[in-house]
Amino acid sequence: MNEQIQKLLNNLIQLEHVSSTLYLAMSNYMNRLNYKGMGSWLRLQSEEERTHMLKLIDYLVDRGGTVELSSLPAQPSEFGTPLETFQKVLEHEKFVTNSYRQAFQFINQANDPQTLVIVQDFLREQVDEEAQAQTIVDRLKIAQNNPAAIFILDQELGQRKAAPAGGAAAQG
């Protein structure tokens, strides 16, 4: 395997690992504030990011590459209001999308069609990831500080189910 592509894949593995821990920290925070539905939604998001990480690890190993797991940065324990928390989710998903977009461009130039397909699958999924986060942000903005509206949205987000293996998560 091309050394630069191996490094790039290890960077994407790290990105997914950090994403998983970030969303787990956000889940814990929302649960502490008694937004159990939002906490559940974020926990499932954390699990989904971990699944992405494992998929990249398996792919790298299958291609004969070396996985290099780096230490993780500490995550915050406070994220603000539900709106501020989900604005951070949206911002992070946009960062992830941009990271995969840059990886796609590099891999395309390196002429590695198998890796290009894997990265393209993640890029395609990022459309849904950003759309879900944007919808939640928009709905929290509509709710403003209305406790009843936020409570209803919290209940709705708590209905999200885990994604089937290899698939995108059901919207919540």
Side-chain angles (χ1 to χ4, degrees):
M1 165 165 277
N2 175 313
E3 223 175 282
Q4 290 178 313
I5 290 180
Q6 178 177 284
K7 182 178 180 182
L8 183 141
L9 288 171
N10 273 302
N11 288 341
L12 294 175
I13 288 166
Q14 179 72 2
L15 176 64
E16 296 291 355
H17 201 182
V18 168
S19 297
S20 180
T21 61
L22 173 64
Y23 293 145
L24 186 58
M26 288 176 166
S27 170
N28 295 333
Y29 176 70
M30 287 288 111
N31 283 329
R32 186 164 40 97
L33 297 180
N34 284 318
Y35 293 113
K36 302 296 185 183
M38 293 179 199
S40 175
W41 191 95
L42 287 159
R43 172 73 63 102
L44 289 173
Q45 193 65 26
S46 171
E47 291 172 12
E48 187 175 303
E49 305 306 347
R50 184 174 185 279
T51 299
H52 295 166
M53 177 190 70
L54 294 174
K55 183 176 180 179
L56 288 167
I57 287 172
D58 291 345
Y59 175 75
L60 185 54
V61 168
D62 288 349
R63 291 284 309 272
T66 301
V67 175
E68 297 174 11
L69 296 175
S70 302
S71 61
L72 293 171
Q75 296 299 331
S77 58
E78 305 279 333
F79 295 95
T81 66
L83 174 59
E84 290 167 335
T85 301
F86 279 92
Q87 285 172 325
K88 289 173 183 142
V89 170
L90 178 59
E91 180 181 311
H92 184 74
E93 288 301 333
K94 288 180 178 182
F95 174 76
V96 170
T97 298
N98 189 51
S99 298
Y100 274 102
R101 190 176 295 123
Q102 290 176 3
F104 181 87
Q105 291 170 349
F106 180 84
I107 294 164
N108 193 33
Q109 290 176 341
N111 196 26
D112 183 342
Q114 291 112 330
T115 305
L116 197 62
V117 169
I118 296 293
V119 170
Q120 188 172 22
D121 285 347
F122 282 107
L123 259 178
R124 189 176 303 117
E125 187 171 333
Q126 280 305 116
V127 173
D128 183 56
E129 298 285 343
E130 284 188 33
Q132 284 187 57
Q134 185 67 61
T135 297
I136 296 168
V137 166
D138 291 347
R139 294 182 75 199
L140 284 166
K141 284 180 180 177
I142 291 167
Q144 296 179 348
N145 290 322
N146 180 330
I150 293 171
F151 177 72
I152 290 168
L153 182 56
D154 183 59
Q155 285 185 316
E156 182 181 321
L157 291 176
Q159 310 234 345
R160 178 182 181 185
K161 303 293 180 217
Q171 273 198 320

